[in-house]
């Protein structure tokens, strides 16, 4: 059966995006920080920045159960840090989702006011280019 289905599938690796800048007091940042408070979630995100992967591949890479990886992937997707980039087929012919990071660098800023935000975001973007 392995010859009938493509094992690699179509994966959108995307390009390096502009840095995402969050401010500590924003509601979206709370979900992001909560999601990244676990070592496993951070390890998964780091692995995905190296290369897109399935939940099974990530479980092997971070040495945890596939159920634990799926839990953290769900949180990472909800926090808009990870996206489904495509599909692959297992040796048994099952379709598997391939995950990838949503974008490039992520910066969380503390302090400042509304006037500072655009300037800080521009400065960070130019620094990381």
């Amino acid at each position: 059966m392995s010859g009938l289905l493509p094992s690699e599938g179509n994966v959108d690796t995307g390009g390096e995006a502009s840095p995402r800048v969050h401010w500590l007091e924003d509601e979206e940042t709370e979900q992001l920080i909560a999601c990244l408070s676990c070592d496993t979630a951070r390890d998964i995100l780091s692995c995905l920045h190296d290369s897109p992967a399935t939940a099974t591949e990530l479980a092997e890479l971070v040495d945890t159960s596939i159920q634990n990886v799926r839990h953290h992937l769900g949180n990472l997707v909800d926090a808009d840090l990870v996206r489904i980039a495509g599909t692959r087929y297992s040796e048994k012919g099952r379709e598997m989702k391939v995950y990838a990071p949503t974008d490039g660098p992520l910066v969380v800023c503390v302090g400042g006011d509304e006037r500072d935000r655009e300037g800080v975001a521009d400065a960070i973007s130019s620094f990381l280019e």
Side-chain angles (χ1 to χ4, degrees):
M1 177 171 247
S2 63
L4 298 177
L5 298 172
S7 61
E8 287 306 308
N10 293 327
V11 178
D12 173 19
T13 56
E16 189 73 13
S18 298
R20 207 163 116 190
V21 179
H22 286 271
W23 294 88
L24 192 59
E25 57 274 353
D26 292 346
E27 285 182 31
E28 187 178 273
T29 306
E30 182 179 343
Q31 181 182 20
L32 185 138
I33 289 174
C35 173
L36 294 175
S37 67
C38 178
D39 289 341
T40 304
R42 290 191 305 272
D43 290 345
I44 290 168
L45 186 57
S46 292
C47 287
L48 291 175
H49 272 279
D50 291 338
S51 176
T54 65
T56 303
E57 292 165 342
L58 289 166
E60 291 176 19
L61 289 168
V62 301
D63 194 29
T64 191
S65 70
I66 192 163
Q67 293 83 3
N68 194 26
V69 167
R70 285 189 178 137
H71 166 76
H72 289 293
L73 282 171
N75 291 340
L76 290 164
V77 168
D78 290 344
D80 198 28
L81 293 170
V82 169
R83 64 188 171 83
I84 297 170
T87 56
R88 289 188 189 144
Y89 291 92
S90 72
E91 291 178 6
K92 295 181 181 180
R94 293 190 181 117
E95 187 175 81
M96 301 180 297
K97 295 175 185 171
V98 178
Y99 297 88
T102 54
D103 53 21
L106 171 70
V107 179
V108 176
C109 299
V110 180
D113 59 25
E114 289 295 324
R115 293 173 295 168
D116 296 334
R117 291 185 177 205
E118 188 174 323
V120 169
D122 289 343
I124 290 170
S125 292
S126 65
F127 175 74
L128 294 172
E129 289 178 350

